[in-house]
Amino acid sequence: MEEIRFANEKDIPSVMGLLEQVNKIHHDGRPDLFNLATKYSPEDLKKIFADEKTPVMVFESDGSVKGYAFCIIKETKGNRLLADMKTLYIDDLCVDESARGQKIGHKLYERVCSYAREIGCYNVTLNVWTLNEAAVGFYEKLGMKAQKIGMETIL
């Protein structure tokens, strides 16, 4: 049985394992930028999972977490330059490397978009590192388009 649900504390060990997979991709692609460590600690995850402004959805299949989507609800109000809007930002999306190619990422993304509509968001946004060509291609396949581009010169 498959379900996408909000994460809870019992998911922390599985989510930590997925965070390690994401970090390895980034570290292998840009060891000059990424240390071999996870983005969050188990203690961080407890706080994130409990905060309604940082919803995390997990894809569970047969009692095992196969993927997640970390989200942040962002609101712009009264900004001189930017229009007032509510955005659901995908901070991180990962599918277990052993479960890729099964449409789990697609299902997670669709659930995130559905949730964003439910809470009145204007859009769903995310950042993706260009070193992760598979992720860039995945998001483009979902219909996402570049909103802005970060650039660098290494000195």
Side-chain angles (χ1 to χ4, degrees), residues 7-44:
N8 60 55
E9 284 191 31
K10 77 175 181 68
D11 299 317
I12 289 175
S14 298
V15 170
M16 288 301 298
L18 294 172
L19 285 166
E20 289 171 7
Q21 289 182 29
V22 170
N23 175 255
K24 183 161 178 13
I25 290 168
H26 293 130
H27 175 75
D28 289 351
R30 288 292 303 266
D32 59 320
L33 292 180
F34 293 96
N35 294 323
L36 212 45
T38 57
K39 184 174 187 174
Y40 303 116
S41 71
E43 296 75 31
D44 294 332

Side-chain angles (χ1 to χ4, degrees), residues 55-74:
V56 178
M57 296 177 192
V58 294
F59 182 96
E60 184 177 28
S61 177
D62 298 322
S64 178
V65 173
K66 301 289 186 190
Y68 65 65
F70 279 76
C71 302
I72 301 171
I73 299 168
K74 297 182 172 189

